[in-house]
Amino acid sequence: MQIYTSLKRKELIEKILSVEYDLAVIGGGITGAGIALDAASRGLKTVLIEKNDFASGTSSKSTKLIHGGLRYLKQFEIGLVMGVGRERRIVHRLAPHLVLAEKMLLPFFRGGTFGKFSTSLGLWVYDFLAGVKKEDRRKMLSKKKTLELEPLLPHQTLLGSGLYAEYRTDDARLTIEVMKTAIDHGADCINYLEADEFIYTDNKISGLKIHDVLTGEPYEILSKITVSATGPWVDDLRERNHSKQGKTLHLTKGVHIVVDRDKLPVKHSIYFDVPDGRMIFAIPRENTTYIGTTDTDYFDHKDHVTTNLKDAEYLVKAVNQAFPTVQLTIDDIRSSWAGLRPLINQPGKKTSEISRKDELFFSDTELISIAGGKLTGYRIMSRKVTDRVCKVLKSEYNIASGRCRTKFLKLSGNQFRNSREVRAYVDKVSDQLKGYGMGAAEAGYLVHNYGIQAEEILSNMKSQAGNDFRYNLLMAELRFCIDHEMAVSVADFLVRRTGRLFFNISSVKQYAEPVLNAMARILGWDHARIQEERNRLESEVFDATHFD
Ligand code: FAD
């Protein structure tokens, strides 16, 4: 029986210890989740372990776009743009409720990096490489039309804009849904288990020494093949495997800041250039607009990456240059996040010029590592790794496996054929919520995060006593995330499952204690654990809101 609930964590660990797996995946970001799904759906006995929460690494710290990477065109990365550009539509089809088609605006200015001709040509090439359907292809807009859409852009220097197709998502939720789909296909996936050392038999890796981060308990798991999908930590594991030779990682930090929507009330996602030649996004989401990203070399602690004052000031200045009437200040920032890009070192290149391509590393002891790449390309990267795993299993163990099917495997929560059906379902949920003093905003949130799984949350909400329906809805969502998404800490729920720390931080302050008490009751926490959880959440809130 497959286990999704944190209430059965002990049973899941016992199960994991009793099986010899074909494949052990280290790392529960989007890449690891994608590999677990690909391998399990080909019939391989697969386990995935994550040392923190699922998606707690880079996979909850991105710009949250499923995009072809328009700026890589400038660097002539034609293959990368074509690969991920075409992949966007597939990822959208796998979860149309969670990966939403959205038009983006690319304005150009007098004295800016691009003019009308280069913007038009660049977007045409971008659409062409990605195979965008005729009706969705870029449209060039006059200055007048652009200002009608986005009156905050500078009237004096604006020359016009290009409106083009992209997709946006929630990176952590996408990772979690891929993980749940992997579990549906037979993978055993668990958070808060850390890989410490490799176990070797005849000079090949045959298992892992691990420990439970929540209890400190050490264990060993057995597997024929091991993949490290540990993103920024890939070199640490290669070091432990004594195989860190040749190419290495180059980590760069990327920061996003979040402001109230009325401080930067843009109606579209806008991709604008800044005087240093970089490009920045301003993306509206719920009652906020988020802005990012920076791109600076990073040599510090990988487990604690934060936004500093310089990062925050850079982004505030960028907004004020592109939207001169806005006059944002540091005090307007409500929340922020900082993540690490696990890029592959390219000596002599500037940080922002280093390729975003993925790279596979193979060690003599059969550790397969993967790093680099994009959230958007997770399925292609996973296929590459799983193909290699299957080849080794066939040649060394005569284990046959199927072909990659992930292009056709809908992610959990998806019972929709297209965006129209998603919109109709949002309307239906909105109607249901009206009787409880809520409506379209809550329905959009529920459906875009959970798809059809919103049914269970709604029915749980309706069965609760008490007239504070918003609170009841939150508690129903919490119960769903404990029962189906392995949320084991308050931060798992308020940061990765719901995104509240970033997009609704006042609700984190409002509901932290009720969520803490409910989790303590459901999961049987003692006083020490409650205090530990409280401290952890406070430090997450501190990191998101202080810039030293
Ligand atoms: P991670 O998400 O970091 O996962 C690795 C996991 O391994 C971590 O959760 C970690 O805890 C775990 N781990 C490490 N060591 C161990 C161990 N010993 N035992 C167990 N677990 C371990 N891509 C896009 O397509 N669109 C975007 O808009 C976009 N924006 C970005 C913006 C920024 C600022 C950044 C930094 C990246 C962006 N990307 C974007 C790239 C994308 O986010 C990454 O390529 C992707 O999230 C990497 O996922 P991953 O699974 O490889 O790594």
Side-chain angles (χ1 to χ4, degrees):
M1 200 190 62
Q2 291 311 107
I3 298 177
Y4 302 80
T5 168
S6 25
L7 292 166
K8 291 198 174 159
R9 184 176 166 81
K10 235 172 114 189
E11 285 96 314
L12 180 55
I13 292 176
E14 276 165 20
K15 181 183 175 198
I16 289 172
L17 300 181
S18 68
V19 176
E20 190 202 356
Y21 290 96
D22 297 325
L23 172 65
V25 181
I26 311 171
I30 190 68
T31 313
I35 296 167
L37 172 57
D38 196 333
S41 60
R42 295 192 205 201
L44 300 183
K45 266 187 276 168
T46 305
V47 63
L48 178 147
I49 59 168
E50 161 56 51
K51 70 173 178 172
N52 201 295
D53 187 21
F54 301 132
S56 58
T58 306
S59 298
S60 54
K61 317 280 173 47
S62 78
T63 310
K64 308 179 194 298
L65 294 175
I66 295 299
H67 66 155
L70 183 57
R71 79 181 186 84
Y72 309 133
L73 262 191
K74 229 168 112 184
Q75 291 156 230
F76 296 104
E77 297 236 32
I78 303 295
L80 179 69
V81 174
M82 190 148 105
V84 286
R86 287 176 186 257
E87 187 64 12
R88 293 179 306 179
R89 216 169 42 238
I90 297 174
V91 185
H92 166 68
R93 193 166 35 74
L94 298 177
H97 60 287
L98 179 57
V99 178
L100 311 174
E102 197 167 279
K103 294 285 183 208
M104 290 234 170
L105 200 69
L106 182 70
F108 45 90
F109 307 97
R110 196 174 312 121
T113 319
F114 304 105
K116 182 173 179 186
F117 177 72
S118 51
T119 303
S120 175
L121 180 69
L123 289 177
W124 183 86
V125 174
Y126 189 60
D127 282 348
F128 173 76
L129 290 174
V132 173
K133 282 192 279 175
K134 203 169 168 199
E135 63 270 25
D136 284 335
R137 288 192 200 141
R138 64 101 173 86
K139 284 191 181 61
M140 296 307 294
L141 306 180
S142 65
K143 172 177 177 173
K144 184 165 173 275
K145 187 79 198 151
T146 306
L147 286 173
E148 271 167 32
L149 291 183
E150 294 296 347
L152 288 176
L153 286 166
H155 296 226
Q156 302 208 314
T157 53
L158 182 76
L159 295 173
S161 66
L163 193 68
Y164 68 105
E166 285 287 16
Y167 296 86
R168 72 178 167 86
T169 190
D170 184 281
D171 45 7
R173 289 240 38 105
L174 182 66
T175 303
I176 288 162
E177 298 299 6
V178 174
M179 194 79 66
K180 283 157 62 186
T181 314
I183 301 173
D184 288 342
H185 284 86
D188 293 323
C189 303
I190 184 162
N191 45 8
Y192 297 98
L193 282 191
E194 179 163 358
D196 298 316
E197 296 295 336
F198 298 98
I199 302 170
Y200 299 92
T201 307
D202 298 333
N203 232 6
K204 303 266 188 242
I205 296 173
S206 55
L208 291 168
K209 290 189 180 181
I210 63 172
H211 76 275
D212 185 337
V213 175
L214 301 176
T215 62
E217 197 73 32
Y219 303 111
E220 290 186 1
I221 55 178
L222 298 177
S223 75
K224 296 187 176 70
I225 309 283
T226 298
V227 166
S228 162
T230 48
W233 292 265
V234 153
D235 276 353
D236 296 3
L237 281 128
R238 289 170 78 206
E239 218 159 69
R240 274 179 243 170
N241 178 238
H242 310 292
S243 61
K244 195 178 138 195
Q245 292 136 10
K247 289 184 183 172
T248 53
L249 292 193
H250 177 121
L251 302 184
T252 75
K253 181 170 78 158
V255 161
H256 291 81
I257 55 171
V258 185
V259 299
D260 288 341
R261 186 76 172 269
D262 58 12
K263 275 283 158 195
L264 183 56
V266 289
K267 297 184 200 95
H268 298 79
S269 297
I270 302 185
Y271 196 25
F272 57 94
D273 57 335
V274 284
D276 65 5
R278 295 192 59 256
M279 300 286 296
I280 304 267
F281 287 103
I283 302 179
R285 177 166 160 169
E286 296 166 35
N287 292 324
T288 67
T289 300
Y290 65 97
I291 302 126
T293 170
T294 60
D295 199 356
T296 50
D297 291 334
Y298 189 81
F299 305 102
D300 238 322
H301 206 305
K302 291 189 277 288
D303 290 299
H304 190 215
V305 189
T306 53
T307 303
N308 62 34
L309 191 58
K310 215 168 147 198
D311 301 322
E313 281 174 347
Y314 175 89
L315 293 172
V316 165
K317 194 169 159 201
V319 169
N320 289 337
Q321 271 157 349
F323 306 95
T325 55
V326 165
Q327 300 186 348
L328 212 61
T329 69
I330 293 285
D331 292 338
D332 293 321
I333 302 175
R334 291 281 166 264
S335 187
S336 75
W337 66 88
L340 295 179
R341 299 179 185 82
L343 308 179
I344 312 301
N345 213 357
Q346 290 184 290
K349 287 222 168 180
K350 277 203 317 208
T351 302
S352 58
E353 288 170 356
I354 297 176
S355 171
R356 268 53 180 167
K357 273 191 214 134
D358 54 279
E359 183 94 18
L360 262 70
F361 303 95
F362 308 102
S363 83
D364 293 344
T365 51
E366 275 179 1
L367 174 67
I368 303 175
S369 307
I370 174 135
K374 306 279 297 165
L375 184 77
T376 311
Y378 80 90
R379 209 189 55 81
I380 312 174
M381 287 165 69
S382 307
R383 187 178 61 206
K384 251 198 257 181
V385 172
T386 315
D387 282 348
R388 176 74 182 219
V389 169
C390 292
K391 217 164 146 189
V392 180
L393 284 171
K394 179 72 188 149
S395 68
E396 292 187 13
Y397 301 93
N398 200 26
I399 294 175
S401 41
R403 297 172 76 104
C404 177
R405 295 192 292 129
T406 52
K407 200 172 174 175
F408 308 105
L409 301 178
K410 286 181 164 194
L411 301 188
S412 53
N414 173 14
Q415 273 184 23
F416 311 102
R417 274 175 301 184
N418 49 45
S419 306
R420 200 160 23 85
E421 290 192 359
V422 174
R423 283 194 294 274
Y425 185 56
V426 172
D427 289 345
K428 189 179 148 202
V429 171
S430 179
D431 283 345
Q432 287 186 51
L433 285 171
K434 275 190 188 127
Y436 297 89
M438 293 178 273
E442 292 80 6
Y445 166 84
L446 276 181
V447 175
H448 295 144
N449 278 336
Y450 298 96
I452 201 74
Q453 304 163 115
E455 294 290 314
E456 182 171 334
I457 298 173
L458 284 172
S459 107
N460 185 339
M461 177 202 85
K462 289 174 192 166
S463 70
Q464 288 184 45
N467 289 335
D468 185 348
F469 300 123
R470 249 168 238 284
Y471 173 83
N472 292 351
L473 183 61
L474 182 75
M475 287 300 136
E477 190 182 357
L478 171 63
R479 189 66 214 213
F480 179 85
C481 294
I482 291 173
D483 287 346
H484 301 283
E485 303 196 335
M486 260 177 236
V488 297
S489 96
V490 176
D492 295 351
F493 179 64
L494 292 175
V495 185
R496 265 89 47 190
R497 306 296 178 289
T498 63
R500 281 175 185 262
L501 179 71
F502 305 136
F503 303 111
N504 193 354
I505 195 161
S506 60
S507 77
V508 170
K509 291 167 188 162
Q510 183 182 358
Y511 289 121
E513 282 300 309
V515 168
L516 186 64
N517 292 334
M519 288 190 88
R521 196 179 63 252
I522 298 166
L523 296 168
W525 292 343
D526 59 17
H527 285 300
R529 175 73 191 269
I530 293 173
Q531 195 49 44
E532 206 180 291
E533 286 286 333
R534 188 175 284 125
N535 295 344
R536 260 179 72 184
L537 184 67
E538 275 170 11
S539 92
E540 295 253 13
V541 173
F542 184 90
D543 285 347
T545 51
H546 289 76
F547 320 111
D548 299 324

